[in-house]
Amino acid sequence: MTASRQATSGAAPPPPWVRRPASLARALTAELVVRIVRGDYPPGTSLPAEPGLCETFGVSRTVVREAVKLLQEKGLVHVRQGAGTVVTPSTRWNMLDELVLGASVEGDESLTILDDLVVTRRLLESDMANLAAQLATDEVVDQLRTLVDGMDELVDDHVTYEEHDRAFHDTIMRVSRNRIARAVVRSLESQAINTARYVGKTERALCVASNEGHRRIYERIAAHDPPGAAEAMFAHITEAWLVRRSGPGEPVRLRR
């Protein structure tokens, strides 16, 4: 039915998940992931039966079955004989899955997920900085110096500054040759990078302080000092997150 015919007949437009260009099964999966993560369907409870899901979302049984299969692959549900499709405990969810992580970050009022993300990133990037200090060529050192010097000139333009910031960290990760660790960090950050709670404040003084951390990392890599580079990266990621995370009078500690 066209939009004009819907308007004439008074019929309601189809729900958002039906209008999405992605396949209906994947669109339904994305919707159910959000609802499970935010607690609409708590762990230990069953999803509505197939007919109920078909009616609620306006899709066929085939679409519902494919969506349930995808939810199983993500660790969010399992099919139990006599109980239907049961939501699993959050400890079984695949937190590296794009949909699961994105929904978890979006609903992370306590910032627990973002704390865990930063701790994971800190451990991996510290190790990669150690490797980069061992492997960096003169060309890489020049690239890092150029990025750090450039960020000194961008402290009043936080959007461009953040682009250079990501390029600085990615250069170090790439040089480390640890493709798995780099992929994990990039996956984690891809779901958090546009959230206000992760980005935090963007004042000029914070960009200045952040780039001082970058410069310490660069100097240790340029000096081919692996322990020093790892320590500088560890301190930089910790300090940058605590500033973004904490409000006035709200000291926060990250576990090591």
Side-chain angles (χ1 to χ4, degrees):
M1 182 180 292
T2 64
S4 60
R5 290 180 63 190
Q6 285 177 345
T8 302
S9 66
W17 45 85
V18 174
R19 297 198 305 268
R20 290 173 184 165
S23 72
L24 290 180
R26 293 188 180 278
L28 177 57
T29 302
E31 187 69 27
L32 289 172
V33 166
V34 169
R35 296 188 183 205
I36 290 171
V37 169
R38 76 184 179 198
D40 294 3
Y41 306 121
T45 64
S46 298
L47 295 183
E50 274 187 11
L53 291 173
C54 291
E55 181 179 355
T56 298
F57 296 103
V59 295
S60 68
R61 285 177 179 264
T62 300
V63 169
V64 168
R65 290 169 187 167
E66 180 63 23
V68 168
K69 179 182 176 182
L70 293 172
L71 290 174
Q72 285 183 286
E73 292 174 358
K74 300 174 190 300
L76 271 69
V77 302
H78 70 277
V79 178
R80 182 186 300 168
Q81 188 71 25
T85 303
V86 180
V87 177
T88 60
S90 59
T91 52
R92 295 179 59 182
W93 300 351
N94 178 7
M95 294 303 296
L96 289 181
D97 179 86
E98 180 180 357
L99 293 177
V100 178
L101 181 58
S104 299
V105 168
E106 186 64 28
D108 185 25
E109 296 298 334
S110 67
L111 300 185
T112 301
I113 298 297
L114 288 176
D115 281 344
D116 288 346
L117 184 154
V118 171
V119 168
T120 303
R121 178 190 165 200
R122 182 177 66 181
L123 291 171
L124 292 175
E125 287 204 51
S126 295
D127 185 69
M128 285 188 279
N130 180 300
L131 291 168
Q134 300 175 49
L135 300 171
T137 62
D138 290 344
E139 180 181 1
V140 168
V141 170
D142 288 343
Q143 290 174 359
L144 293 174
R145 182 178 63 249
T146 298
L147 285 166
V148 172
D149 289 346
M151 281 185 279
D152 278 339
E153 305 300 320
L154 293 170
V155 292
D156 293 310
D157 178 1
H158 73 88
V159 174
T160 308
Y161 177 91
E162 288 164 10
E163 292 173 357
H164 282 64
D165 187 339
R166 291 192 292 272
F168 176 84
H169 284 271
D170 193 58
T171 298
I172 292 170
M173 292 192 291
R174 177 171 45 79
V175 171
S176 77
R177 301 178 188 172
N178 189 333
R179 293 180 295 168
I180 293 177
R182 181 186 180 216
V184 170
V185 170
R186 286 162 65 92
S187 176
L188 291 173
E189 287 229 299
S190 70
Q191 299 307 314
I193 204 165
N194 292 320
T195 64
R197 282 169 292 183
Y198 183 71
V199 174
K201 308 164 190 174
T202 56
E203 288 92 335
R204 182 182 194 277
L206 299 180
C207 290
V208 171
S210 172
N211 208 38
E212 289 174 357
H214 293 146
R215 190 168 293 281
R216 286 191 292 271
I217 297 165
Y218 151 70
E219 288 172 348
R220 292 301 87 211
I221 291 176
H224 299 287
D225 174 10
E231 183 179 352
M233 181 66 79
F234 191 98
H236 166 65
I237 292 176
T238 301
E239 292 163 4
W241 172 237
L242 292 183
V243 168
R244 298 199 306 274
R245 189 194 197 284
S246 308
E250 297 179 20
V252 177
R253 292 183 180 274
L254 283 179
R255 64 181 182 275
R256 295 186 70 87

